[in-house]
């Protein structure tokens, strides 16, 4: 079959649809996607688009974007859920487990290895210098995330106001992150339902007409189409996979044990982490440092530096948090064994819900097409998340650039204010250099992280930090 090429005025051959792919044939492709999944969700989604849409032509552009919008509505890492969704679309539950599981595996192994190195050699000169440099680079990367997401999400005064309210709520008033997400979602749902123009989808994706055929085009039916009874069975099965271990730990060890606390806290986090990893980190950092005392503020930056430099979802930083929590309260276990189990438990309760959302929700995804109220809720949550990420950037900056913070009372409120004389000049210079590299010269994340890490190691070896 041929189509008319309007530019040349001649008939051009239409690309044929790829032949069906077996699960075994899909395995190396998903391994490749997992190995290349650096750069946070934006980079990971770009890799999947290039491989799945442009190169392999497994899924059409419209189908890919619709799946991405669906995954963005869900709590949890949207890139990992998108991989799970496409795997499910092609090969059912087995395909979803393969694609989603492989997406997590490289990061799991890398963060676990780095966690061991951190607790065994973290105070050694070169290693301590490496993490000193990573903190400065991470600050620039988080600021860039604020700009990137804000440019897309803050369309008009209403959305900007929501972001400002979220920042004040979490930074000044200490409002819990889940409450901010729920409040923004309710405002957006009501605004979208009423047809308010501020809550309409931005339509930022310009979709080109389909060129040739895909394995799953716009009208293709998914491999698995489930009844409501089957959907309820899937819900019950995956809820059990996720929550039965949590219940078992609570019954066997009690609610005050560190493993029980890890299981409960990160299970709650899995329900409210709308807006991606940076938004979740504000919630995790606040609780892990201030509420549970699992780690120090600077260590959260170290963990984020690990996650930024390894493949996989950025939310894998939570594995480092769980590792440190159990390592420092091992009970009768050797600390390294406890830390390893704590990290694996954190990963389990973080990602098991992701499979639940996809396997239960994907069969009904078409029902979400054009849902005005849901689109409004998503827009409002995304705007609020900008304020939450800005809070994270300020929090990181205070703990990276200043050695001492002092509490200042403002009526019934208390804010941590930096002691200006305690500024770390080397951290400040490195952070400014990273910010200039990212914003002025558009340097990539990996080169900036590598350069700052090398500079930090050099400063440490020279005895300057």
């Amino acid at each position: 079959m041929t189509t008319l090429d309007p530019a040349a005025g001649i008939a051009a051959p239409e690309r044929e649809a790829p032949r069906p792919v077996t699960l075994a044939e899909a395995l190396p492709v998903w391994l490749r996607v997992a190995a290349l999944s650096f750069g946070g969700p934006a980079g990971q989604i770009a890799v999947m688009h290039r491989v799945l849409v442009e190169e392999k032509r497994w899924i059409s552009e419209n189908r890919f974007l619709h799946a991405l919008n669906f995954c963005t509505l869900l709590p949890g890492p949207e890139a990992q859920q998108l991989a799970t969704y496409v795997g499910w679309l092609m090969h059912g539950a087995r395909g979803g487990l393969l694609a989603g599981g492989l997406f997590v595996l490289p990061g799991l192994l890398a963060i676990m290895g780095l966690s061991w190195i951190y607790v065994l050699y973290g105070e050694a000169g070169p290693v301590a210098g490496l993490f000193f440099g990573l903190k400065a680079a991470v600050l620039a990367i988080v600021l860039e995330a604020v700009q990137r997401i804000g440019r897309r999400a803050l369309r008009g005064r209403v959305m900007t106001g929501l972001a400002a309210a979220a920042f004040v709520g979490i930074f000044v008033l200490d409002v819990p992150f889940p409450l901010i997400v729920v409040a923004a979602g309710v405002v957006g749902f009501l605004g979208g339902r009423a047809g308010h123009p501020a809550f309409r989808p931005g339509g930022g994706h310009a979709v080109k007409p389909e060129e040739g055929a895909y394995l799953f085009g716009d009208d293709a039916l998914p491999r698995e189409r489930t009844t409501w009874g089957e959907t309820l069975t899937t819900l019950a099965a995956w809820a059990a996979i996720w929550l039965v271990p949590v219940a078992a730990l609570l019954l066997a060890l009690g609610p005050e044990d560190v493993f029980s606390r890890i299981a409960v806290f990160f299970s709650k986090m899995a329900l409210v982490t709308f807006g991606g990893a940076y938004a979740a980190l504000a919630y995790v950092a606040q609780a892990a440092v201030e509420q549970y005392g699992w780690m120090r503020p600077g260590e959260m930056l170290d963990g984020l530096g690990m996650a930024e430099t390894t493949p996989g979802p950025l939310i894998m930083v939570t594995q480092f948090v769980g590792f440190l929590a159990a390592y420092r309260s091992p009970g009768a276990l050797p600390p390294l064994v406890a830390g390893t189990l704590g990290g694996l438990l954190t990963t389990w309760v973080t990602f098991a819900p992701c499979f639940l959302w996809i396997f239960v929700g994907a069969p009904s995804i078409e029902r979400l097409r054009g849902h005005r109220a849901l689109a409004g809720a998503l827009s409002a949550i995304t705007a609020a998340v900008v304020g939450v990420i800005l809070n994270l950037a300020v929090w990181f900056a205070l703990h990276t650039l200043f050695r001492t913070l002092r509490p200042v009372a403002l009526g019934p409120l208390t804010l941590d204010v930096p002691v200006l004389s305690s500024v770390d000049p080397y951290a400040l210079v490195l952070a400014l250099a990273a910010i200039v590299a990212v914003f002025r010269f558009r340097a990539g994340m990996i080169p900036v992280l590598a350069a700052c890490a090398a500079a930090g190691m050099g400063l440490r070896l020279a005895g300057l930090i």
Side-chain angles (χ1 to χ4, degrees):
M1 180 180 294
T2 59
T3 57
L4 186 65
D5 184 344
I10 59 175
E14 186 176 278
R15 296 181 66 174
E16 295 182 357
R19 64 176 180 81
V21 178
T22 66
L23 190 61
E25 291 171 332
L27 174 61
V29 177
W30 290 119
L31 280 170
R32 179 184 166 203
V33 168
L36 295 174
S37 59
F38 292 90
Q44 293 157 1
I45 291 167
V47 166
M48 277 190 280
H49 183 273
R50 185 174 72 244
V51 174
L52 304 179
V53 178
E54 298 177 4
E55 180 183 324
K56 297 297 181 182
R57 301 182 73 80
W58 283 355
I59 182 172
S60 71
E61 180 86 7
N62 289 329
R63 205 68 177 264
F64 182 88
L65 292 177
H66 184 62
L68 176 58
N69 290 337
F70 171 69
C71 294
T72 306
L73 279 170
L74 304 172
E78 62 267 36
Q80 187 268 347
Q81 290 169 335
L82 179 60
T84 305
Y85 176 86
V86 177
W88 170 86
L89 184 68
M90 295 182 60
H91 297 106
R94 291 189 304 158
L97 283 170
L98 177 73
L102 286 178
F103 198 87
V104 173
L105 185 60
L108 184 154
L109 297 175
I111 297 295
M112 186 62 71
L114 288 171
S115 298
W116 276 58
I117 293 172
Y118 188 86
V119 297
L120 293 175
Y121 307 108
E123 297 302 321
V127 176
L130 181 147
F131 285 108
F132 180 87
L134 284 179
K135 292 173 187 177
V138 164
L139 175 59
I141 290 168
V142 175
L143 287 172
E144 195 268 339
V146 174
Q147 182 200 53
R148 185 181 66 247
I149 299 174
R151 190 165 48 228
R152 183 187 68 194
L154 304 185
R155 305 183 309 274
R157 290 179 294 180
V158 172
M159 292 301 175
T160 303
L162 281 173
F167 174 78
V168 172
I170 196 168
F171 184 75
V172 179
L173 303 178
D174 203 25
V175 177
F177 172 65
L179 184 57
I180 290 175
V181 169
V182 171
V186 170
V187 170
F189 186 90
L190 295 176
R193 188 174 182 180
H196 194 289
F199 298 98
R200 291 173 186 165
H205 301 295
V207 181
K208 298 178 180 178
E210 299 291 2
E211 300 175 357
Y214 296 86
L215 189 59
F216 277 89
D218 293 351
D219 299 323
L221 296 176
R223 182 185 180 95
E224 290 188 0
R225 303 185 71 194
T226 58
T227 64
W228 283 111
E230 291 168 332
T231 297
L232 291 174
T233 300
T234 301
L235 173 62
W238 276 97
I241 290 171
W242 169 23
L243 296 174
V244 164
V246 177
L249 286 170
L250 286 170
L251 290 173
L253 303 176
E256 299 304 316
D257 185 84
V258 67
F259 290 103
S260 298
R261 288 190 166 188
I262 289 171
V264 171
F265 172 71
F266 287 105
S267 290
K268 290 192 296 183
M269 185 207 71
L271 293 171
V272 298
T273 50
F274 297 91
Y278 287 113
L281 287 175
Y283 176 48
V284 173
Q286 184 182 46
V289 175
E290 299 173 8
Q291 180 178 346
Y292 294 105
W294 288 338
M295 60 197 315
R296 296 182 291 273
E299 291 176 331
M300 193 68 189
L301 291 169
D302 294 338
L304 184 57
M306 293 179 191
E308 293 278 13
T309 51
T310 54
L314 289 180
I315 201 67
M316 287 301 302
V317 67
T318 58
Q319 179 177 284
F320 176 68
V321 177
F323 182 98
L324 285 186
Y327 178 85
R328 288 167 175 166
S329 300
L333 296 173
L336 284 174
V337 173
T340 300
L341 293 176
L344 293 175
L345 173 62
T346 302
T347 300
W348 180 271
V349 296
T350 298
F351 287 98
C354 297
F355 292 101
L356 186 154
W357 312 143
I358 297 300
F359 292 155
V360 171
S364 303
I365 185 174
E366 294 302 323
R367 299 175 188 173
L368 296 176
R369 281 190 185 272
H371 197 297
R372 191 168 59 184
L374 285 178
L378 175 61
S379 298
I381 289 172
T382 305
V385 161
V386 176
V388 173
I389 299 174
L390 179 60
N391 162 76
L392 178 68
V394 173
W395 188 86
F396 276 2
L398 291 176
H399 289 91
T400 299
L401 304 179
F402 298 92
R403 299 187 181 96
T404 306
L405 303 176
R406 60 184 177 86
V408 173
L410 298 174
L413 307 176
T414 302
L415 290 178
D416 287 332
V417 176
V419 177
L420 296 181
S421 61
S422 71
V423 66
D424 187 325
Y426 297 107
L428 179 62
V429 169
L430 274 182
L432 290 175
I435 290 170
V436 170
V438 169
F439 287 92
R440 176 65 179 84
F441 297 104
R442 304 297 178 190
M445 179 190 65
I446 298 299
V448 172
L449 287 165
C452 287
M457 292 174 68
L459 289 170
R460 179 75 177 196
L461 291 174
L464 297 176
I465 59 172

